[in-house]
Amino acid sequence: MAHMAQNQASRKKGKKVTIENFYGGSTQGKEENEEEIQKNSEHASQNGNYQQALEDLKLELIQKMETFWKEKWEKEISCLTDKTAQLEKELEASNRRADKAEKQIQSLMTRIKHLEESEMIKQQESIKQTQIINELEENRKYLTEKVTDLENRGRRENLRIIGLPEKPEVNNKLDSILEEIIKENCPHVLEQGGKIEIERIHRTPSILNPQKTTPRNVIAKFKSFQVKEKILQEAKKKSFRYKGAPIRITHDLAANTLRDRKAWNTIFRKARELGLQPRINYPAKLTIYFQGKVWAFNKIEDFQAFAKKRPELCGKFDIQAQKARET
């Protein structure tokens, strides 16, 4: 081994290696070999120290790395622990909020259920009330028609005189004025003795409105329905006059009946223009003569539906259009 080390050292120094100096053939060679061996020993000792130092350095480095990562992971773990605790608190708060929201939802659902039940009860009550109101409305209409009919029957002996001058000398002797009108226009109606039995006669309304320029109507109640009807029939045949001034004599009807008759005015005028021979019969029924037949209508809607189905009349009785044109 010494020889091999010597040989390697000689090669490194560039010396020529011979058998003599390899095997120690000369004293100089032996001394050089011994020096070389000593140097190699020192060098090996130094290498051993370096190796130990390197091992110590590696150990120290490992310890520092362990300490570093231990501290770092402890910080990380501590941070994660804090975050976990915070998340747990937030989760607990969220759960509390969720529980509170659920309770509120349950409370709202209960209230909604109560409201729905209450609304259903109200709807049922509303339906009942609507049925009652409809029944009451039907009863009201029936009673109104009944009262109107009774009122009209109570006026069946009456005549309404329209256009009689509003003068004191006329108002003070209306019964005499009526006899003069009958003598002037239909004397054959007078009873024996040339008089008409009148139960009462008066102006209506009873109080004069100074803002109105037209005279108030006169209501005359006859004792005989037949005499009243004769005078009315004569008034339908010709225009009556009083001292040359035109007057009108018509039925004395209830206000509701007069309103219903007045609703036919526009249609009545148009039907007369078309030659349909319109008439208003009791209580407020329109009759026309069309295509060889007499047609009767109780409501304006019935007449309009009838006119729309007839090409000769379609579009000629549009009340709204006529009122717009008149306006």
Side-chain angles (χ1 to χ4, degrees):
M1 294 292 295
H3 297 294
M4 291 179 65
Q6 184 181 1
N7 188 17
Q8 290 178 357
S10 299
R11 288 181 181 178
K12 288 181 180 179
K13 290 181 179 181
K15 295 181 179 182
K16 185 176 180 181
V17 180
T18 61
I19 295 173
E20 288 82 4
N21 57 32
F22 183 80
Y23 289 102
S26 65
T27 304
Q28 185 181 358
K30 288 180 180 179
E31 292 176 355
E32 289 178 359
N33 288 337
E34 289 176 357
E35 291 177 0
E36 189 71 25
I37 291 169
Q38 186 178 0
K39 289 180 180 180
N40 289 336
S41 298
E42 292 177 357
H43 183 68
S45 177
Q46 290 178 357
N47 285 339
N49 293 334
Y50 291 154
Q51 188 72 26
Q52 183 65 35
L54 182 60
E55 292 293 331
D56 294 340
L57 183 61
K58 286 174 64 178
L59 182 60
E60 183 180 359
L61 180 60
I62 289 172
Q63 290 176 350
K64 288 183 177 181
M65 289 294 293
E66 287 179 351
T67 303
F68 170 78
W69 284 111
K70 183 179 180 181
E71 292 177 354
K72 184 175 181 179
W73 281 114
E74 284 178 353
K75 291 181 180 179
E76 291 290 335
I77 291 171
S78 177
C79 182
L80 289 175
T81 302
D82 295 339
K83 288 183 179 180
T84 303
Q86 184 66 25
L87 288 174
E88 287 178 351
K89 291 181 180 179
E90 292 179 358
L91 180 60
E92 185 178 356
S94 177
N95 290 335
R96 287 197 299 269
R97 289 195 298 269
D99 293 340
K100 184 178 180 180
E102 186 176 358
K103 291 179 180 179
Q104 291 177 347
I105 291 172
Q106 291 295 333
S107 176
L108 289 174
M109 293 296 292
T110 303
R111 290 179 61 188
I112 290 171
K113 185 177 180 180
H114 290 164
L115 288 174
E116 288 177 348
E117 292 175 353
S118 177
E119 184 65 22
M120 186 177 297
I121 293 172
K122 288 181 179 179
Q123 288 180 357
Q124 293 174 354
E125 290 294 330
S126 177
I127 292 172
K128 291 180 181 178
Q129 291 295 330
T130 301
Q131 292 174 351
I132 293 173
I133 291 172
N134 291 336
E135 292 176 0
L136 291 175
E137 182 64 19
E138 291 178 0
N139 292 336
R140 185 195 66 81
K141 288 181 180 179
Y142 171 77
L143 293 174
T144 301
E145 293 174 356
K146 194 71 175 176
V147 170
T148 301
D149 183 64
L150 291 173
E151 186 177 356
N152 286 328
R153 291 179 183 276
R155 296 168 182 249
R156 64 195 303 268
E157 289 88 9
N158 295 1
L159 281 180
R160 183 180 291 265
I161 304 169
I162 303 171
L164 198 63
E166 188 81 50
K167 297 179 181 179
E169 60 271 19
V170 175
N171 294 340
N172 293 334
K173 51 178 183 178
L174 289 174
D175 50 350
S176 301
I177 298 297
L178 179 57
E179 288 184 2
E180 292 178 13
I181 292 172
I182 294 172
K183 287 179 182 180
E184 182 179 349
N185 295 278
C186 52
H188 60 280
V189 176
L190 293 173
E191 298 176 353
Q192 294 179 357
K195 292 186 177 182
I196 296 292
E197 292 188 7
I198 300 173
E199 186 172 330
R200 63 178 180 270
I201 184 169
H202 59 85
R203 290 277 186 177
T204 182
S206 58
I207 299 176
L208 177 63
N209 186 354
Q211 295 181 353
K212 288 190 174 181
T213 58
T214 56
R216 292 173 294 167
N217 295 342
V218 175
I219 304 297
K221 183 176 179 62
F222 293 83
K223 290 186 177 181
S224 174
F225 172 75
Q226 288 76 14
V227 173
K228 170 255 179 181
E229 280 295 310
K230 289 178 182 179
I231 297 172
L232 187 61
Q233 294 301 322
E234 291 296 325
K236 290 180 179 179
K237 294 177 183 178
K238 63 178 182 179
S239 298
F240 274 34
R241 292 180 175 273
Y242 171 67
K243 293 183 179 182
I247 59 173
R248 288 175 55 205
I249 295 181
T250 64
H251 286 288
D252 178 35
L253 300 170
N256 289 339
T257 304
L258 290 175
R259 184 192 64 233
D260 294 340
R261 287 190 167 209
K262 188 177 180 180
W264 288 107
N265 285 350
T266 304
I267 293 175
F268 186 91
R269 289 195 298 267
K270 188 63 178 179
R272 188 165 54 190
E273 291 176 6
L274 297 175
L276 300 178
Q277 303 175 20
R279 297 177 69 90
I280 302 294
N281 295 334
Y282 180 84
K285 181 187 297 184
L286 174 70
T287 61
I288 61 171
Y289 186 79
F290 179 70
Q291 294 180 348
K293 294 181 180 180
V294 177
W295 303 83
F297 307 94
N298 291 317
K299 297 181 180 179
I300 294 176
E301 294 80 6
D302 296 339
F303 176 80
Q304 289 177 334
F306 172 84
K308 286 181 180 180
K309 295 179 182 179
R310 271 71 182 176
E312 302 89 340
L313 305 178
C314 185
K316 296 181 180 179
F317 290 92
D318 190 346
I319 296 177
Q320 294 180 352
Q322 290 183 17
K323 287 183 179 180
R325 286 194 294 270
E326 290 175 0
T327 303

